[in-house]
Amino acid sequence: RRITGNTASPAPCSAIVSRSKNSSAPPAGAPAITCAMRIGYAFRRRCQASALRTMVPRGAGHLLNVSSVASFQPAPDLAVYAATKAYVTSLTESLHEEVRGSGVRVTALCPGLTRTEFISVSNPDGRRTTYPGFMWLDADAVAAEALADVSRGRPLSIPGRLYRVLVAISSVTPRVVARRLSSRVRRD
């Protein structure tokens, strides 16, 4: 069930999928980072707190936050996006632990490149959008894997073998190397 409107009084729900819609530009006069933080933090916090207040006492429910593989490493030229997604992933892993044993399952979906409208909407200045075909994920397959992972109670859902390997490698790569590699990929 979708939660909208006033989140002060929790509506009965058993599942919530939370994602921030990307807009091509912030409102006039507002820095992009302020808008991303306001949308990515405040709404998500209020909405999820409301949902969890309903789910935990019932001992059942699913919370799926849409994040990104960008949350696991620095992303030059996408700094605000990567930082916001790092927040989402960290928040989700923390909530996963907070509700452990309650019957509520909390998962962060961290897909890589996925064929959706996101690329055209999030790329207003025409940065590189052509990547090899093997890097692209099918949106329906991503959704199916995410729903299976949240049902299994996994804290992270990283669709695609390529992206699971990249995330595993990034966890052991020195930060300076990760920054430099990320910078090269964005320029090439």
Side-chain angles (χ1 to χ4, degrees), residues 48 52 55 61-65 91-97 99-100 104-108 149-150 153-156:
Q48 292 178 8
L52 291 173
M55 293 177 190
H62 298 83
L63 178 61
L64 179 64
N65 278 325
L91 172 70
T92 305
E93 288 186 285
S94 297
L95 291 174
H96 175 86
E97 289 304 313
V99 301
R100 180 188 290 277
V104 176
R105 296 178 176 154
V106 181
T107 301
D149 286 342
V150 74
R154 292 189 175 156
L156 298 173

Side-chain angles (χ1 to χ4, degrees), residues 69 72-74 158 161-175 177-179 181:
V69 293
F72 297 102
Q73 66 272 323
I158 305 168
R161 183 175 301 164
L162 169 68
Y163 292 107
R164 285 189 293 276
V165 168
L166 289 174
V167 167
I169 290 170
S170 74
S171 71
V172 295
T173 302
R175 301 292 289 175
V177 173
R179 282 193 308 273
L181 287 175

Side-chain angles (χ1 to χ4, degrees), residues 71-154:
S71 70
F72 297 102
Q73 66 272 323
D77 297 326
L78 293 171
V80 172
Y81 175 79
T84 301
K85 293 304 183 176
Y87 165 79
V88 172
T89 300
S90 181
L91 172 70
T92 305
E93 288 186 285
S94 297
L95 291 174
H96 175 86
E97 289 304 313
E98 288 177 15
V99 301
R100 180 188 290 277
S102 71
V104 176
R105 296 178 176 154
V106 181
T107 301
L109 168 60
C110 302
L113 294 169
T114 305
R115 295 198 187 279
T116 67
E117 78 287 350
F118 177 77
I119 295 296
S120 61
V121 177
S122 67
N123 193 26
D125 56 357
R127 288 194 177 116
R128 181 178 172 183
T129 58
T130 52
Y131 294 91
F134 70 89
M135 294 185 74
W136 290 93
L137 300 170
D138 174 72
D140 290 337
V142 167
E145 190 165 337
L147 293 174
D149 286 342
V150 74
S151 293
R152 291 183 196 113
R154 292 189 175 156

